Amino acid sequence: MIRTVETKPFADQKPGTSGLRKKVPVFQQPNYVENFVQSIFDSLEGFAGKTLVVGGDGRYYNREAIQKVIKIAVANGFGHLVIGKGGILSTPAVSCLIRGRTAYGGIILSASHNPGGPNGDFGIKYNIGNGGPAPEKITDAIFARTTTIDHYKIADAPDVDLDTIGATIVEGAKVDIVDPVTEYSALMKTLFDFDAIRALFASGFRMRFDAMHAVTGPYAHAILEGELGSGAGTVVNGVPLPDFGGHHPDPNLTYAKELYDLMMSSEAPNFGAASDGDGDRNLIIGRGIFVTPSDSLAMLAANARHAPGYAKGLAGIARSMPTSAAADRVAAKLGVKCYETPTGWKFFGNLLDAGLATICGEESSGTGSNHVREKDGLWAVLLWLNILAKRRISVLDLAREHWSIYGRNYYTRHDYDEIDLTAANGLMDALRGQLASLPGTSRGVLKIHAADDFEYHDPVDGSDTKAQGVRILFEDGSRIVYRLSGTGTAGATLRVYIERYVPEDGNLGEETQSALADLIALSHELAGIEQRTGRKAPSVIT
Ligand code: VG1
Ligand code: CO
């Protein structure tokens, strides 16, 4: 039976950079999930009888939310639901399933790299039929609907057994529980030379993959250890846990410190990698070298032809604005365009659909390609392995070779987490107030060439997106970028992105923080970080 339930709007259901993210107790309020999911469906049309893919990263409240999504989707007329066993699907696997099964769309239950557990974070994100995050036009419509919603539809049906593969019928709709790995793994085999990677491992190459008790555990076990013979024990923290073992499932140098320390030690295997809560981010560390995500994007793009899926070359490269310009140099050499988009994967979808870009990346550990419409952590790991297998070179040597050809974009991001929201907005407003007067002025040897608040004009659909981050651009190509996070759930997070370019004949072997010391000091001064936020130092440095 289908029930119509009366409800009242919640004022705080505005999706951020990547869906709606809140603390678990917020999502546990009566009707909170129901309102948002119904608002998604109210903003869409033409889905009667069609397929919806549903899955999450296994975090606390995943199963409860999935049961609600099933019952509301069925009540609204979807004809077929495809759900990962145990409610588990990585974000790139959802994208893969939507595309592979020509589904209408998908719902991802995840707060990605944010911590989980009863007092941790939860999230809901809608993906469209190309497999990618809903564009702003749709997320704006969803938000508008959440402010007026007065009823939702839900099937009065028993919970679906999420742990048994197979099909059941709920209110006339087919609900398929599928293996979360099979179709994703098959897609990876079409892109990479699995034989070459197998031969690499057979030759004694060793790797450590930290799944951070998040969603990639089952994928990494099946693909790395199972298919590629990386050896038992390659994957650590491989069982998804509702609270990620009490850690942040964020693969950076702070939260994946154990992996980093191992890779810098004399015990280091040849290659280290990690992924985040929902499996779309990647961390790459070679023996004795952390590869910044911006460099990783550039190095993958420069070497992608070694993988069968990219042997024909790249149509173009795209990077988010705060990502370093290392990829631009590769694009120039390849003779293709490099697009600069606002932060968030949703801005890459049009470029990929239109065939303008093949590989995309963000400084926040996101890399991906036109194989799906999300960033993809394991994909990046496999592309690295494919390149290393074909070239038989160490990560350190590959990085040195890259810098000697293209020069090096020293790059760091400083995050100030959970600062006061009013102080954060005040800081950004004050920076915006300085934009007109900064160009032409000097700070020590650093001359400011331009300053703006980044705006993006989408070359495919013509849409404009404004106020995407304050950029201070220096004459020597250095940059400082300031923006506020759109994924946090407590206070505000200020992100400061700092970059300096050193040409191929310059000093390429400096430690990153000291190479950037002048710009880091200037980033404090220009924004008055300490006066305005009370913080002397960032909470996380990546
Ligand atoms: C952050 C990153 C951004 C990424 C987004 C979602 O957003 O900076 O590059 O696309 O997270 O990633 P923000 O607004 O907090 O800076 V994930 O792995 O959370 O889906
Ligand atoms: Co993620």
Side-chain angles (χ1 to χ4, degrees):
M1 199 187 76
I2 289 164
R3 275 192 302 142
T4 299
V5 181
E6 277 187 29
T7 186
K8 290 203 174 67
F10 291 90
D12 63 348
Q13 295 197 319
K14 189 172 171 54
T17 310
S18 181
L20 180 69
R21 290 191 195 171
K22 300 283 172 197
K23 297 276 175 216
V24 166
V26 175
F27 273 103
Q28 286 172 324
Q29 297 174 85
N31 293 347
Y32 196 87
V33 169
E34 290 84 346
N35 273 21
F36 191 70
V37 173
Q38 182 67 53
S39 297
I40 295 175
F41 298 150
D42 286 347
S43 311
L44 308 171
E45 46 194 30
F47 55 77
K50 301 229 166 111
T51 303
L52 183 74
V53 178
V54 186
D57 62 12
R59 69 178 58 224
Y60 189 87
Y61 208 54
N62 192 42
R63 285 170 177 267
E64 291 85 342
I66 288 181
Q67 297 293 351
K68 293 181 192 224
V69 172
I70 295 171
K71 291 171 195 172
I72 300 170
V74 161
N76 278 272
F78 276 97
H80 184 198
L81 269 64
V82 176
I83 299 170
K85 181 170 180 255
I88 293 283
L89 281 177
S90 75
T91 288
V94 169
S95 193
C96 165
L97 282 166
I98 294 174
R99 296 170 67 78
R101 293 172 174 246
T102 42
Y104 181 89
I107 288 187
I108 302 174
L109 294 313
S110 170
S112 188
H113 56 287
N114 299 14
N119 294 306
D121 291 348
F122 193 74
I124 303 183
K125 188 172 87 159
Y126 178 68
N127 280 30
I128 59 175
N130 75 352
E136 291 205 307
K137 206 170 69 172
I138 295 180
T139 54
D140 288 349
I142 294 170
F143 174 55
R145 180 60 187 150
T146 65
T147 63
T148 59
I149 188 167
D150 57 8
H151 69 274
Y152 60 84
K153 283 194 253 172
I154 190 159
D156 248 340
D159 281 359
V160 170
D161 172 9
L162 299 176
D163 298 305
T164 309
I165 290 190
T168 46
I169 302 289
V170 179
E171 284 292 339
K174 185 174 169 211
V175 178
D176 259 322
I177 307 296
V178 304
D179 180 80
V181 181
T182 313
E183 286 161 62
Y184 176 82
S185 172
L187 176 61
M188 293 301 115
K189 278 183 212 163
T190 67
L191 301 173
F192 302 117
D193 188 339
F194 273 39
D195 287 337
I197 304 175
R198 249 177 239 126
L200 178 73
F201 283 121
S203 74
F205 182 95
R206 287 183 309 127
M207 138 171 216
R208 163 80 56 97
F209 181 88
D210 189 344
M212 304 190 91
H213 287 303
V215 79
T216 37
Y219 296 85
H221 275 298
I223 297 173
L224 297 175
E225 294 183 4
E227 295 274 350
L228 296 170
S230 67
T234 301
V235 179
V236 297
N237 301 322
V239 178
L241 297 176
D243 67 348
F244 308 116
H247 302 294
H248 281 245
D250 192 347
N252 62 31
L253 300 186
T254 301
Y255 300 118
K257 187 162 186 309
E258 227 170 273
L259 178 69
Y260 178 78
D261 289 344
L262 171 73
M263 295 308 297
M264 296 304 132
S265 76
S266 55
E267 306 294 301
N270 304 79
F271 190 65
S275 191
D276 72 331
D278 61 332
D280 56 359
R281 296 187 178 203
N282 69 89
L283 172 71
I284 302 294
I285 313 181
R287 194 181 266 166
I289 179 177
F290 157 62
V291 183
T292 68
S294 294
D295 270 351
S296 179
L297 170 66
M299 291 169 191
L300 290 178
N303 290 282
R305 64 183 183 283
H306 293 288
Y310 308 94
K312 291 203 185 93
L314 309 178
I317 303 175
R319 64 164 173 88
S320 67
M321 179 274 284
T323 304
S324 95
D328 303 34
R329 296 178 191 278
V330 175
K333 185 142 195 163
L334 294 174
V336 297
K337 217 172 154 182
C338 189
Y339 297 86
E340 189 176 24
T341 59
T343 296
W345 210 261
K346 58 181 171 237
F347 295 100
F348 293 133
N350 280 344
L351 299 173
L352 293 167
D353 284 352
L356 296 175
T358 306
I359 284 189
C360 309
E362 294 194 280
E363 54 65 42
S364 54
S365 297
T367 335
S369 86
N370 57 357
H371 69 290
V372 289
R373 293 294 181 272
E374 287 278 7
K375 52 189 187 276
D376 188 343
L378 260 179
W379 169 90
V381 171
L382 292 171
L383 181 50
W384 264 101
L385 287 171
N386 191 143
I387 292 165
L388 298 178
K390 279 291 170 73
R391 298 203 46 200
R392 297 294 171 125
I393 185 175
S394 71
V395 176
L396 184 59
D397 286 342
L398 188 142
R400 286 184 173 148
E401 172 200 88
H402 188 93
W403 296 329
S404 75
I405 299 171
Y406 299 95
R408 179 169 179 186
N409 292 71
Y410 284 98
Y411 185 87
T412 190
R413 186 179 93 192
H414 287 198
D415 287 338
Y416 298 79
D417 288 336
E418 297 191 25
I419 56 178
D420 178 71
L421 189 57
T422 315
N425 285 326
L427 181 148
M428 291 302 294
D429 287 344
L431 277 170
R432 291 194 181 99
Q434 293 183 66
L435 292 177
S437 58
L438 283 174
T441 64
S442 291
R443 299 289 190 284
V445 292
L446 291 160
K447 194 155 183 215
I448 299 177
H449 157 72
D452 65 7
D453 195 355
F454 182 66
E455 294 182 3
Y456 178 62
H457 178 75
D458 187 312
V460 180
D461 68 13
S463 62
D464 288 299
T465 310
K466 296 194 162 47
Q468 292 299 305
V470 166
R471 304 192 291 181
I472 315 285
L473 309 168
F474 299 89
E475 259 181 7
D476 67 350
S478 301
R479 295 193 307 173
I480 302 174
V481 174
Y482 301 86
R483 59 179 285 280
L484 298 183
S485 156
T487 58
T489 59
T493 293
L494 171 67
R495 303 201 195 283
V496 186
Y497 311 81
I498 298 150
E499 172 177 3
R500 180 162 78 94
Y501 177 66
V502 173
E504 51 277 18
D505 55 0
N507 185 352
L508 302 172
E510 267 187 272
E511 193 276 321
T512 300
Q513 299 301 313
S514 46
L516 295 170
D518 287 2
L519 284 158
I520 291 171
L522 187 52
S523 76
H524 284 259
E525 188 191 316
L526 284 172
I529 294 176
E530 191 181 343
Q531 300 89 294
R532 290 181 176 274
T533 69
R535 300 289 176 84
K536 278 195 168 59
S539 0
V540 178
I541 295 180
T542 49

